[in-house]
Amino acid sequence: MSRFDGKAYLITGGGKGIGAALADEVAAGGGAVAVFDIDGDAATEKAAQILAGGGRALAIKGDARDDAAVRSAVAAVVDEFGRINGLAAIAGVLRLAPIAEVPDSHWRDVVETNVLGPFQFVRAVVPHLRAAGGGSIVLAGSAMAFASNPTAALYSASKGAIVAMVNSLAVELATEGIRVNCFAPGTVRTPMARELAQMQGTSGDIEAVVDSFGQGHPMGRVIEAEEVARVAAFLLSDEASAVTGSCYGVDAGMLANLA
């Protein structure tokens, strides 16, 4: 029996990057996957790939900042699969600017997507996890919650909020069999990393620039989305049955190397 057999999971940001890699991990483990993404085409493509491989999947286009869309998505998952056993809130955005120049639009984008979105999904999913007798919630943190860079105050603050949210929710929900954890990656080869390369005015080989970001890791390379997804899948699974309130580093040694 595979580790996700007979269970259903909702993954936000599931159309690309870490979320898409996690959708593949869950499907490969026998789980039904709801792929939620603001990019409807990406969600549809990922769900179609899972279905073509013999898995169970549902594509949902929506904005994690919109509570009505969040509640509608959760209802759609329950209608399709009959239950929800876990949530992985991966959707996020990156905005960089010197603190004196941060526009209100950046604040809204980052805080509403990276903090409010996961909060709304957790709020909507918890009653269904209770009905299932327990479950697992995994949120997307970042190594930048603990050690940051210039111009990244907003992003770092949003990921610090995730770590604090995980700590509180883990304690609140522990007696109900609902585990809450997060992962904290370093630089991962994702659309966000490519966006960062473009922000830096890169006009050449974007993938080469992304590769260069890995020089900041002691392992000397960028992290692949699949590597992070495997850790997230562990946290979602019953293999992590005694793990709650934790933030797993997947940073190729970055934080351990801080002087």
Side-chain angles (χ1 to χ4, degrees):
M1 183 175 181
S2 298
R3 59 180 171 174
F4 297 122
D5 277 349
K7 297 182 178 181
Y9 297 86
L10 173 56
I11 301 174
T12 80
K16 301 175 183 176
I18 296 168
L22 179 56
D24 288 337
E25 285 285 326
V26 171
V33 184
V35 180
F36 179 97
D37 206 294
I38 196 168
D39 183 338
D41 290 341
T44 298
E45 181 177 351
K46 175 48 60 180
Q49 289 173 355
I50 292 170
L51 290 167
R56 299 178 65 197
L58 172 68
I60 306 173
K61 178 180 180 180
D63 189 335
R65 298 172 295 182
D66 181 350
D67 189 50
V70 168
R71 293 183 181 277
S72 176
V74 171
V77 177
V78 175
D79 286 345
E80 179 73 15
F81 301 128
R83 62 193 301 169
I84 295 178
N85 299 98
L87 164 71
I90 312 295
V93 296
L94 173 68
R95 300 287 183 268
L96 302 177
I99 189 61
E101 301 171 18
V102 174
D104 287 349
S105 60
H106 279 198
W107 171 264
R108 287 191 293 272
D109 283 349
V110 172
V111 173
E112 291 182 6
T113 303
N114 295 3
V115 184
L116 178 62
F119 172 82
Q120 291 181 153
F121 265 104
V122 171
R123 182 172 60 185
V125 162
V126 161
H128 298 283
L129 298 183
R130 286 175 173 148
S136 179
I137 296 169
V138 177
L139 305 184
S142 171
M144 292 180 72
F146 306 99
S148 192
N149 296 312
T151 75
L154 257 184
Y155 184 78
S156 292
S158 74
K159 294 305 182 177
I162 289 296
V163 175
M165 191 188 308
V166 162
N167 290 339
S168 180
L169 290 171
V171 173
E172 178 180 345
L173 300 171
T175 59
E176 300 181 79
I178 300 172
R179 298 180 299 101
V180 188
N181 295 286
C182 68
F183 56 86
T187 302
V188 186
R189 191 187 310 280
T190 62
M192 184 180 288
R194 297 181 186 100
E195 180 183 359
L196 177 59
Q198 292 171 335
M199 286 180 188
Q200 296 181 346
T202 300
S203 57
D205 185 344
I206 294 294
E207 291 302 322
V209 176
V210 172
D211 282 335
S212 75
F213 293 158
Q215 295 171 7
H217 300 150
M219 290 179 72
R221 64 173 179 83
V222 73
I223 301 156
E224 301 299 333
E226 292 76 12
E227 295 177 295
V228 184
R230 286 193 288 270
V231 174
F234 162 73
L235 293 172
L236 273 182
S237 77
D238 290 341
E239 293 169 11
S241 57
V243 180
T244 196
S246 294
C247 191
Y248 272 50
V250 196
D251 61 6
M254 187 176 80
L255 292 180
N257 193 48
L258 293 177

PDB file of all heavy atoms in Angstrom, residues 35 87 98 129 152 219 226 228 231 250 255:
ATOM      1  N   VAL A  35      -5.135  20.431  -7.758  1.00  0.00           N
ATOM      2  CA  VAL A  35      -4.097  21.390  -8.139  1.00  0.00           C
ATOM      3  C   VAL A  35      -4.741  22.764  -8.245  1.00  0.00           C
ATOM      4  O   VAL A  35      -5.479  23.056  -9.186  1.00  0.00           O
ATOM      5  CB  VAL A  35      -3.453  21.002  -9.482  1.00  0.00           C
ATOM      6  CG1 VAL A  35      -2.378  22.008  -9.872  1.00  0.00           C
ATOM      7  CG2 VAL A  35      -2.882  19.589  -9.417  1.00  0.00           C
ATOM      8  N   LEU A  87      -3.362  19.531   3.343  1.00  0.00           N
ATOM      9  CA  LEU A  87      -3.210  20.779   2.597  1.00  0.00           C
ATOM     10  C   LEU A  87      -1.730  21.118   2.503  1.00  0.00           C
ATOM     11  O   LEU A  87      -1.001  21.038   3.502  1.00  0.00           O
ATOM     12  CB  LEU A  87      -3.934  21.918   3.325  1.00  0.00           C
ATOM     13  CG  LEU A  87      -3.575  23.349   2.905  1.00  0.00           C
ATOM     14  CD1 LEU A  87      -4.126  23.659   1.522  1.00  0.00           C
ATOM     15  CD2 LEU A  87      -4.072  24.356   3.931  1.00  0.00           C
ATOM     16  N   PRO A  98      14.236  48.465  -2.107  1.00  0.00           N
ATOM     17  CA  PRO A  98      14.755  49.097  -0.891  1.00  0.00           C
ATOM     18  C   PRO A  98      13.586  49.558  -0.024  1.00  0.00           C
ATOM     19  O   PRO A  98      12.559  50.003  -0.548  1.00  0.00           O
ATOM     20  CB  PRO A  98      15.557  50.287  -1.428  1.00  0.00           C
ATOM     21  CG  PRO A  98      15.897  49.911  -2.835  1.00  0.00           C
ATOM     22  CD  PRO A  98      14.731  49.114  -3.334  1.00  0.00           C
ATOM     23  N   LEU A 129     -10.467  18.345   7.910  1.00  0.00           N
ATOM     24  CA  LEU A 129      -9.470  17.472   8.524  1.00  0.00           C
ATOM     25  C   LEU A 129     -10.015  16.881   9.821  1.00  0.00           C
ATOM     26  O   LEU A 129      -9.771  15.710  10.132  1.00  0.00           O
ATOM     27  CB  LEU A 129      -8.170  18.240   8.789  1.00  0.00           C
ATOM     28  CG  LEU A 129      -7.452  18.809   7.560  1.00  0.00           C
ATOM     29  CD1 LEU A 129      -6.144  19.469   7.983  1.00  0.00           C
ATOM     30  CD2 LEU A 129      -7.190  17.738   6.522  1.00  0.00           C
ATOM     31  N   ALA A 152      14.875  42.651   0.611  1.00  0.00           N
ATOM     32  CA  ALA A 152      13.949  41.533   0.726  1.00  0.00           C
ATOM     33  C   ALA A 152      13.143  41.566   2.028  1.00  0.00           C
ATOM     34  O   ALA A 152      12.616  40.543   2.459  1.00  0.00           O
ATOM     35  CB  ALA A 152      14.708  40.218   0.631  1.00  0.00           C
ATOM     36  N   MET A 219      26.694  23.479  -0.576  1.00  0.00           N
ATOM     37  CA  MET A 219      26.724  22.371  -1.523  1.00  0.00           C
ATOM     38  C   MET A 219      27.105  22.833  -2.932  1.00  0.00           C
ATOM     39  O   MET A 219      27.358  21.998  -3.803  1.00  0.00           O
ATOM     40  CB  MET A 219      25.370  21.655  -1.543  1.00  0.00           C
ATOM     41  CG  MET A 219      25.086  20.883  -0.260  1.00  0.00           C
ATOM     42  SD  MET A 219      23.480  20.039  -0.244  1.00  0.00           S
ATOM     43  CE  MET A 219      23.815  18.699  -1.404  1.00  0.00           C
ATOM     44  N   GLU A 226      12.107  19.171  -7.111  1.00  0.00           N
ATOM     45  CA  GLU A 226      11.773  17.809  -6.692  1.00  0.00           C
ATOM     46  C   GLU A 226      12.394  17.481  -5.334  1.00  0.00           C
ATOM     47  O   GLU A 226      11.824  16.691  -4.561  1.00  0.00           O
ATOM     48  CB  GLU A 226      12.236  16.804  -7.746  1.00  0.00           C
ATOM     49  CG  GLU A 226      11.497  16.866  -9.065  1.00  0.00           C
ATOM     50  CD  GLU A 226      11.917  18.039  -9.946  1.00  0.00           C
ATOM     51  OE1 GLU A 226      12.953  18.691  -9.647  1.00  0.00           O
ATOM     52  OE2 GLU A 226      11.202  18.306 -10.932  1.00  0.00           O
ATOM     53  N   VAL A 228      12.833  19.570  -2.824  1.00  0.00           N
ATOM     54  CA  VAL A 228      11.983  20.192  -1.803  1.00  0.00           C
ATOM     55  C   VAL A 228      10.666  19.430  -1.689  1.00  0.00           C
ATOM     56  O   VAL A 228      10.144  19.203  -0.591  1.00  0.00           O
ATOM     57  CB  VAL A 228      11.726  21.670  -2.141  1.00  0.00           C
ATOM     58  CG1 VAL A 228      10.917  22.333  -1.027  1.00  0.00           C
ATOM     59  CG2 VAL A 228      13.030  22.422  -2.353  1.00  0.00           C
ATOM     60  N   VAL A 231      10.647  16.431   0.609  1.00  0.00           N
ATOM     61  CA  VAL A 231      10.557  16.774   2.036  1.00  0.00           C
ATOM     62  C   VAL A 231       9.122  17.151   2.387  1.00  0.00           C
ATOM     63  O   VAL A 231       8.583  16.726   3.417  1.00  0.00           O
ATOM     64  CB  VAL A 231      11.521  17.920   2.384  1.00  0.00           C
ATOM     65  CG1 VAL A 231      11.317  18.376   3.821  1.00  0.00           C
ATOM     66  CG2 VAL A 231      12.966  17.483   2.160  1.00  0.00           C
ATOM     67  N   VAL A 250      15.595  23.035   3.786  1.00  0.00           N
ATOM     68  CA  VAL A 250      15.988  22.346   2.545  1.00  0.00           C
ATOM     69  C   VAL A 250      16.817  23.371   1.772  1.00  0.00           C
ATOM     70  O   VAL A 250      16.436  23.857   0.713  1.00  0.00           O
ATOM     71  CB  VAL A 250      14.763  21.902   1.716  1.00  0.00           C
ATOM     72  CG1 VAL A 250      15.191  20.874   0.661  1.00  0.00           C
ATOM     73  CG2 VAL A 250      13.672  21.316   2.595  1.00  0.00           C
ATOM     74  N   LEU A 255      21.951  27.898   5.877  1.00  0.00           N
ATOM     75  CA  LEU A 255      21.825  28.440   7.231  1.00  0.00           C
ATOM     76  C   LEU A 255      22.922  27.901   8.147  1.00  0.00           C
ATOM     77  O   LEU A 255      23.401  28.613   9.041  1.00  0.00           O
ATOM     78  CB  LEU A 255      20.447  28.144   7.797  1.00  0.00           C
ATOM     79  CG  LEU A 255      19.286  28.878   7.112  1.00  0.00           C
ATOM     80  CD1 LEU A 255      17.970  28.494   7.773  1.00  0.00           C
ATOM     81  CD2 LEU A 255      19.461  30.401   7.166  1.00  0.00           C
TER      82      LEU A 255
END
